Amino acid sequence: MDIVTAQEMYERDQAAAEAGLAGTMLMENAGRAAAYDLVKHIQKSDRIIVWIGAGSNGGDGFVIARTLLNLGYTAEAVQVVPDEKIKGDAAVHKQIFQASGHTVKKWTDVEDAEGYLLRADVSIDAMLGIGVQGDLREPYKQIVQHCNEASLLRLAVDLPTGVPADEGVEEFTAYKADYTSVIEAPKLSAFLQHTQPWYGQWSVVEIGIPSQVSPAVRRSMWTVEDVKRTLPSRDDHSHKGSHGKGLVIGGSLLMPGSAAMTSRAALRSGAGLIAIATEEGAVPSISPYVQEATFVERETMELSAYDGVAAGMGIGRGADARALVHHVVTHTKGALLIDADGLYVLKDFLGELEKREEPTILTPHPGEFAHLTGRSIKDVLLSPFSLAEAFARRYGVYLVLKGPSTIITAPDGEQRVDVTGNSGLAKGGSGDALAGILLTMLMQSESMLDGLSSGCVLHGHTADRVVQQGRSKVDLLATDVIEGLPGTFRTLSSSIT
């Protein structure tokens, strides 16, 4: 599923028009598709207000109101702008609404808004869409305020009024939806930490724009279905060397668990062989937890002997850690993943990444990415897509920017988004487990971007499954996720036994 900016959505509409799809037809498709999506959340006994503004969103509102009335729901269409503001395709659908025997009511002042809300159970926001710029003006601002304060179900069309479609906007006033029916493709703001909550739950409705003529977008969601489609299969005659020989460089005397969890997660994800390079004093703590792994000395480890290397977890941030990561970056010939403490010391020699010929994968959370880029955490949260793309292109790396919506970016700028997982993953060890899964996927996948994207989904989907099967988001541990991987693989691929 593509993810678009406001401009990219306009370009899709234009492409549809050039293909012969009239705007009135697309508006009919959008309104009807949204209406049938929204009624999943509405009861026949509910009293419904459809707030209608100018532009395409308002036109969709007339279609939604007409469709609801045709289906036997009790709905009022309330136009919140003067008649002269209803133009073009929206005016056509207003005329159809009225010619169908329905009355368009007008918003005139705050008292009217309060009156409508007092007799309503459901509010449907079809006021402003992707074209909103700056803070809301009146009457939108007052209506949004009253809707947000009212005790009713708040639904929205495409995106809630006032929510910016794109990234980079910090301050805004917006309608707080419980559910949003997104038209055609989700916008960037559906995945940003500070804007996504305004959507509530959401899903996408298709409105008939031909995919063959739509401008290409190199930004998409990666789902469980994509994992099923691309998950590496295991040949009946394969051996342990067929599934990747990986090295985990991590852990220390005081932090042995990080390397242990990364290694166990890699093995649970299907790696054929895993070796661990850690401090000698940490080996007794790690070996009972990962009996299938072998150990090598950091001073004599042969980096070229491995298909993939994961480094940085639990190594500390001192001079020794810096020297270790610098050595790994400059001497590893295969795919290299750097995580955790490794990202902290990496900042001192980022330029070395450009010299590497094999894939490099960095897995920062927003704080680590802010450290790497010299930006504030606020900047990262406001504009994660553009900052991740610029960084990945600049240094020629794959970047896994972790969060509730994890953004995976390739060196050429293509991006994937994973929205699986839950708040139970906001706990120490979750990143170590993800690193192990990604290590296995980067060794086994034909496409590095597919493999990393699938690894993120495997991690988040497993956390969701474990919670559904008895754990809570409060007590979920990284080790629970690791031990839940077998069940995930069993459900995702019938070829895995």
Side-chain angles (χ1 to χ4, degrees), residues 83-94:
D83 288 334
E84 60 267 22
K85 296 286 188 179
I86 306 295
K87 303 176 181 178
D89 298 331
V92 171
H93 281 289
K94 177 182 178 180

Side-chain angles (χ1 to χ4, degrees), residues 49-51 57 123-128 155-157 159-162 175:
I49 298 175
V50 183
W51 300 102
N57 227 40
S123 167
I124 298 178
D125 166 24
M127 291 183 283
L128 294 175
L155 308 177
V157 180
L159 73 170
T161 286
Y175 180 93

